[in-house]
Amino acid sequence: VQLVESGGGLVQAGGSLRLSCAASGSTFDDYAIAWFRQAPGKEREGVSCISTTDGTSWQTDSVKGRFTVSSDNEKNTFYLQMNNLKPEDTAVYYCAADPMTRCLASLERLMPTLYRSWGQGTQVTVSS
């Protein structure tokens, strides 16, 4: 499985970006797709996930109402729409995938160790 993120960049606070994750090397009809981020000196944080099986999604509290995860299963491409960006959203954003992990609306947090396939990351910088 190969994952390639794109769409990062520099944006002012309040602006928007859409990250894409192009996936290949498998059929992704029964996967959990997750977005993580890691800021300098901080642990990797789970931001959002989506189930390609039924579209169930989850977002961490700090991005609810601002970030939306979606999937285009025909294109094997997954998206993270980020609106009303804040300086604290600055981080490298990673796409991750796993067929044995489930994205549930009731999750408390995402565990990076449960995802075996990772992209290279894309930098998001939000200026104040």
Side-chain angles (χ1 to χ4, degrees):
V1 172
Q2 294 80 42
L3 305 174
V4 179
E5 302 98 334
S6 61
L10 173 64
V11 64
Q12 289 187 331
S16 298
L17 286 173
R18 188 177 79 157
L19 304 183
S20 299
C21 174
S24 61
S26 180
T27 56
F28 294 90
D29 53 351
D30 193 18
Y31 265 70
I33 306 296
W35 290 93
F36 290 82
R37 65 186 179 187
Q38 189 164 19
K42 294 188 177 181
E43 292 187 354
R44 191 163 295 191
E45 174 192 23
V47 175
S48 186
C49 68
I50 188 166
S51 166
T52 62
T53 306
D54 60 9
T56 298
S57 66
W58 173 92
Q59 291 80 35
T60 193
D61 285 347
S62 63
V63 307
K64 282 181 179 177
R66 301 189 298 122
F67 291 12
T68 303
V69 64
S70 63
S71 66
D72 185 333
N73 290 355
E74 290 188 1
K75 295 182 178 179
N76 285 343
T77 303
F78 312 100
Y79 304 97
L80 185 66
Q81 178 67 44
M82 305 186 296
N83 298 329
N84 190 21
L85 282 160
K86 303 176 180 181
E88 51 264 41
D89 295 318
T90 295
V92 177
Y93 283 71
Y94 298 90
C95 174
D98 199 280
M100 301 302 292
T101 300
R102 291 293 173 259
C103 178
L104 304 173
S106 59
L107 289 172
E108 292 188 2
R109 57 173 294 188
L110 298 183
M111 299 293 294
T113 54
L114 296 181
Y115 290 83
R116 284 172 284 185
S117 298
W118 290 81
Q120 82 289 351
T122 186
Q123 176 71 47
V124 172
T125 303
V126 185
S127 63
S128 57

